[in-house]
Amino acid sequence: MAASQYHVFETAGGYCGIAWNSVGIVRFQLPTRSAEATERNLLRRMPDAERAAPPTVVNEAIAAAKRYFNGEEIDFSDIRLDLEGQDEFFKRVYAALRRVGWGHTTTYGTLAKELGADPQAARDVGQAMAKNPVPLIIPCHRVLAAGGRVGGFSAPGGATAKVQMLELEGVHLGPPEPAQQSLAL
């Protein structure tokens, strides 16, 4: 496994982190409120990574992330990643998800079906999203639960962060349906 390096940077959404090796980007940390929290989250998953000045290609990804959180339409699909060690099914899910562009969403079930898996594989797609090492670059925030519900999001801020990212892209999810209809006329 190639040695990893990382860098923490500020965006309009908060402090993000990025880690890379000689193959490509290996981890992206979505915004937190402090550089320290971002660094702690990155190092929890990559304890051997070393802080470093990013090379040009990583600086380009950082600049794109900054523009994204400023509301600019960004396509991250050409950023080189290193997904070594990821489950093969997860890699297929990630490849399919990278084709879901700015302002568009899909569902766990739709991704499973696109990959030729049976409908129960939607849970496996959900697991891939939860283990996504490079959220934003692999846009797991664009995956919704059945019926257009938000679904889960394991990044800092949870589902609220997911909704904020979607709104940044012009996707507005309606308020959740009430659990019980009112008897009032």
Side-chain angles (χ1 to χ4, degrees):
M1 179 175 284
S4 295
Q5 297 176 309
Y6 73 94
H7 181 73
V8 174
F9 59 97
E10 190 172 8
T11 72
Y15 290 89
C16 292
I18 192 166
W20 66 92
N21 62 24
S22 59
V23 177
I25 293 173
V26 294
R27 177 134 332 249
F28 189 87
Q29 176 67 51
L30 288 172
T32 65
R33 293 178 190 216
S34 73
E36 295 78 17
T38 295
E39 184 173 41
R40 189 172 45 252
N41 288 339
L42 263 176
L43 291 175
R44 186 177 307 133
R45 291 169 180 83
M46 305 187 67
D48 296 331
E50 295 181 9
R51 186 184 311 203
T56 301
V57 68
V58 175
N59 269 327
E60 290 169 0
I62 290 169
K66 287 179 177 183
R67 291 193 318 272
Y68 174 89
F69 285 108
N70 279 329
E72 186 178 324
E73 183 174 338
I74 300 294
D75 176 4
F76 293 98
S77 64
D78 63 344
I79 291 177
R80 187 178 173 112
L81 303 176
D82 179 2
L83 297 175
E84 189 60 37
Q86 294 290 319
D87 178 273
E88 288 304 315
F89 180 74
F90 287 11
K91 286 181 185 178
R92 290 178 49 222
V93 170
Y94 298 151
L97 185 52
R98 288 188 88 183
R99 294 189 292 271
V100 177
W102 172 277
H104 296 277
T105 61
T106 188
T107 65
Y108 300 103
T110 300
L111 278 174
K113 186 176 181 180
E114 182 180 329
L115 296 170
D118 78 32
Q120 283 69 36
R123 292 180 198 271
D124 297 329
V125 170
Q127 287 297 312
M129 297 304 100
K131 294 182 180 188
N132 179 1
V134 286
L136 183 59
I137 298 170
I138 296 175
C140 54
H141 64 283
R142 296 180 184 149
V143 182
L144 303 175
R149 292 176 291 125
V150 173
F153 199 53
S154 58
T160 300
K162 182 176 187 173
V163 169
Q164 289 171 340
M165 290 172 74
L166 289 170
E167 287 179 349
L168 190 68
E169 296 182 21
V171 176
H172 301 287
L173 303 175
E177 292 286 322
Q180 181 177 356
Q181 296 294 323
S182 171
L183 297 176
L185 294 175

